[in-house]
């Protein structure tokens, strides 16, 4: 249901585009070698995003939701470029959906790439925010919308940081939950195509 609602909010027709990509994403996330990067992982990210994205505005909300679906769409444990491959797959979705040159597409693609090296991305994004005078205080932040390079940078920084936090929230689980996560990741390493 969430994918269909997202497609409607983007103005992407369900048949054939939305439904075709829904099927593709489900098939990818059900690949037998996946232990952690599954539909459950997407669901957990989307649940974490609920209630914390309202300050991002419509484009930011759409971006983090699309990033949840696509950031691990390609995942083979032994590959070192899963995120880049996932971003390339997202580009194909954008072509089919008529979103290729949009602000949204640029934003989602960057979020996906930022998941490649979370710590490096967080450091870079925080530095960019400091240089641009962008507040990262979640209580005071509010994306006021608008166009222009400054507004696009603001939305990109905050959306990516928020997404990265939600993607790695698994690290704040109880000891038992963390050990389960670590075991799932190990199961997926070196497996796949």
């Amino acid at each position: 249901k969430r994918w269909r609602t997202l497609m409607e909010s983007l103005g992407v027709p369900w048949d054939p585009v939305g439904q075709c990509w829904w099927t593709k994403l489900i098939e990818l996330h059900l690949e037998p070698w996946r232990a952690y990067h599954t539909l459950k992982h997407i669901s957990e990210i989307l649940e974490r995003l609920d209630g914390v994205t309202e300050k991002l505005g419509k484009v930011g909300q759409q971006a983090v939701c699309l990033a949840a679906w696509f950031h691990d769409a390609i995942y083979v444990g032994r590959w070192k470029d899963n995120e880049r491959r996932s971003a390339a797959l997202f580009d194909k979705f954008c072509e089919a959906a008529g979103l290729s040159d949009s602000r949204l597409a640029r934003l989602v693609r960057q979020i996906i790439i930022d998941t490649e090296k979370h710590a490096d991305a967080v450091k870079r994004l925080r530095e960019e925010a400091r240089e641009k005078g962008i507040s990262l205080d979640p209580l005071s932040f509010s994306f006021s919308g608008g166009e222009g390079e400054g507004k696009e940078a603001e939305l990109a920084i905050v959306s990516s940081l928020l997404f990265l936090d939600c993607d790695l929230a698994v690290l704040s689980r109880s000891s038992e939950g963390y050990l389960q996560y670590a075991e799932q990741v190990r199961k997926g390493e070196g497996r796949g195509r």
Side-chain angles (χ1 to χ4, degrees):
K1 180 182 177 195
R2 291 184 81 137
W3 176 257
R4 190 173 197 143
T5 302
L6 180 58
M7 294 301 98
E8 288 171 6
S9 78
L10 295 167
V12 175
W14 181 249
D15 186 22
V17 179
Q19 188 172 20
C20 173
W21 280 92
W22 164 254
T23 302
K24 176 77 171 161
L25 290 167
I26 297 299
E27 288 172 355
L28 287 167
H29 285 87
L30 290 176
E31 290 170 326
W33 56 83
R34 289 177 182 247
Y36 176 73
H37 298 94
T38 63
L39 294 172
K40 183 178 183 206
H41 178 55
I42 294 171
S43 178
E44 288 172 347
I45 290 173
L46 290 171
E47 285 175 22
R48 289 181 198 115
L49 289 168
D50 285 344
V52 297
T53 61
E54 67 275 351
K55 292 184 176 186
L56 295 178
K58 185 177 179 179
V59 172
Q61 290 172 342
Q62 292 168 331
V64 294
C65 288
L66 281 168
W69 284 100
F70 280 94
H71 80 288
D72 288 323
I74 304 297
Y75 184 80
V76 175
R78 66 181 177 273
W79 290 353
K80 301 299 180 204
D81 62 347
N82 288 301
E83 293 79 5
R84 301 232 174 238
R85 291 176 189 230
S86 294
L89 182 70
F90 174 71
D91 291 342
K92 290 179 183 176
F93 162 76
C94 287
E95 287 174 30
L99 301 170
S100 291
D101 295 323
S102 69
R103 172 185 189 192
L104 176 67
R106 290 188 301 275
L107 181 56
V108 176
R109 186 172 217 296
Q110 187 58 54
I111 293 171
I112 294 169
I113 297 299
D114 284 346
T115 65
E116 185 173 22
K117 295 187 188 239
H118 287 77
D120 292 346
V122 167
K123 182 178 178 182
R124 176 184 52 78
L125 291 163
R126 287 187 177 169
E127 179 64 26
E128 286 179 27
R130 191 176 56 68
E131 289 172 3
K132 295 177 187 313
I134 298 169
S135 171
L136 297 178
D137 177 0
L139 298 176
S140 66
F141 175 79
S142 181
F143 180 69
S144 55
E147 298 291 326
E149 187 177 320
K151 289 297 180 180
E152 191 160 332
E154 177 184 13
L155 183 59
I157 290 167
V158 175
S159 297
S160 198
L161 285 169
L162 177 65
F163 185 82
L164 292 169
D165 283 350
C166 290
D167 189 27
L168 290 184
V170 65
L171 300 178
S172 67
R173 286 183 181 170
S174 66
S175 297
E176 183 180 302
Y178 174 77
L179 291 173
Q180 180 184 18
Y181 154 76
E183 178 61 26
Q184 289 172 329
V185 170
R186 275 193 287 281
K187 277 184 185 175
E189 291 300 314
R191 296 177 66 197
R193 300 177 190 154

